[in-house]
Amino acid sequence: DRNAHQRAGHMDYFFYTFADPDAYDDIARWAADRDDPRFDRVRRGLVTVPYTEGWHYAQHGIWTVCRPGRDPVRGQGWKIHVAVTPETFAPLLDIVSAFSYERGVPFKFLARHEYAWLVNAKYAPRPVSGKGIVLYPADEEQSVALATELAALLKPWQGPRVLSDLRIDDGVVHVRYGAYTRRYCRNAEGKVSFALEDPEGRLVPDRRSVPFRAPSFVRVPEAFAPRPPEPTGPVPP
C-alpha cells in the first residue's frame, strides 16, 4: 500500500509512488495532475534552459543533464549542489545555468517544476532532499573556486539545508565528494550501492550519509571545512 509505505517513512520508495496509483513506477513517467491540490500554487511542466551551441542535453530520471559536448560526465570529485524550493528553483536555475555556460562546467537540474516540490517533501530521500541544481567541476581546485564564487553570487538567496553535504557560508551552495557517473558495488550489508573508486582502483560504496562524512581516502579542502561554532552562537545540531 502506497500510503502505508509513506506513513512508515520508507523514503527510499517515495519517488516511485507517484507515477502509478497501484504499483511502483519510474518517477520520470509522472506529471502532476491538474486537479491535485498539492500543486495549486506550484509551477508545473518541463523545465528548460537556453540552448547553447555545442552543448548536449539529456534527461535521466528526474534530472536534465547539460554538458559541453557529447562525452558523458565521468569521474568523481567535489560536486556542487544548489538547494532550491518550488519558489526559488526557476530564478536560481536562470542564474546558475548562465554561470555554468560561461565557465564550460557540466551541470544538471530537476527536469520538471513539480520535482522541486518532491525534493522538499517530508518523505523525500535524504540523499536527494533539497537538491535542485548540481555542478560537476573538473577537479578540486575548480570545485573550491566555483563554490566560493557561486556562494557569493547566491548569498541573497535562502533555501533548505542539504543534510548529506557541507554547506558553504550558511547559504544555498553545498558540496559533497561523490561519483559523477553511476557505478555500482555492494555495501557491507550486501545491497547494491552507488560506487566510488578508491586510490587502489577498487569500487567502494559512495556513502551519502547524514550528517556529511568524507570518504576515508579524501581530504576535505580547508575552504569547505565547517567553521567552529562561536562561543556566543547557537549550539550546532
Side-chain angles (χ1 to χ4, degrees):
D1 176 75
R2 177 178 62 179
N3 293 327
H5 275 298
Q6 290 183 354
R7 288 194 300 269
H10 287 209
M11 298 176 182
D12 290 346
Y13 304 105
F14 179 69
F15 285 169
Y16 295 94
T17 65
F18 285 83
D20 187 283
D22 301 312
Y24 289 137
D25 202 349
D26 184 356
I27 187 61
R29 299 177 184 272
W30 172 76
D33 192 292
R34 291 184 177 275
D35 298 325
D36 191 328
R38 292 174 297 182
F39 302 98
D40 283 347
R41 301 181 182 180
V42 178
R43 290 183 64 176
R44 313 177 202 192
L46 289 171
V47 181
T48 60
V49 292
Y51 173 77
T52 300
E53 188 69 33
W55 282 65
H56 185 260
Y57 305 82
Q59 185 173 344
H60 299 283
I62 67 170
W63 301 101
T64 296
V65 181
C66 307
R67 57 188 189 269
R70 292 187 170 274
D71 292 337
V73 178
R74 299 187 184 279
Q76 59 194 45
W78 288 97
K79 298 189 283 188
I80 300 172
H81 296 123
V82 178
V84 303
T85 68
E87 295 75 26
T88 65
F89 175 42
L92 279 173
L93 181 59
D94 288 342
I95 297 171
V96 178
S97 61
F99 178 93
S100 301
Y101 281 140
E102 184 178 343
R103 291 155 183 79
V105 179
F107 67 101
K108 70 179 182 182
F109 56 89
L110 295 172
R112 298 188 67 88
H113 288 286
E114 297 97 313
Y115 295 158
W117 179 90
L118 282 183
V119 299
N120 282 281
K122 180 178 180 179
Y123 291 115
R126 289 298 174 258
V128 182
S129 186
K131 299 175 184 176
I133 311 166
V134 186
L135 281 69
Y136 297 97
D139 51 36
E140 182 178 307
E141 181 179 1
Q142 190 183 42
S143 294
V144 171
L146 292 180
T148 302
E149 188 178 358
L150 198 55
L153 179 65
L154 303 182
K155 190 172 183 178
W157 295 84
Q158 295 182 339
R161 174 74 181 269
V162 177
L163 298 177
S164 60
D165 289 23
L166 292 172
R167 193 178 195 178
I168 307 298
D169 293 335
D170 295 326
V172 295
V173 176
H174 301 70
V175 294
R176 184 182 75 83
Y177 191 95
Y180 285 7
T181 188
R182 292 195 172 194
R183 292 188 290 179
Y184 302 92
C185 67
R186 293 193 179 273
N187 60 22
E189 292 76 39
K191 296 181 179 180
V192 175
S193 167
F194 291 120
L196 291 170
E197 186 174 321
D198 71 8
E200 283 72 45
R202 299 171 299 189
L203 292 182
V204 297
D206 182 2
R207 303 186 188 279
R208 304 176 184 188
S209 58
V210 176
F212 169 82
R213 183 178 300 170
S216 60
F217 53 88
V218 172
R219 177 191 64 84
V220 177
E222 184 176 348
F224 295 161
R227 296 178 181 176
E230 298 180 6
T232 58
V235 177

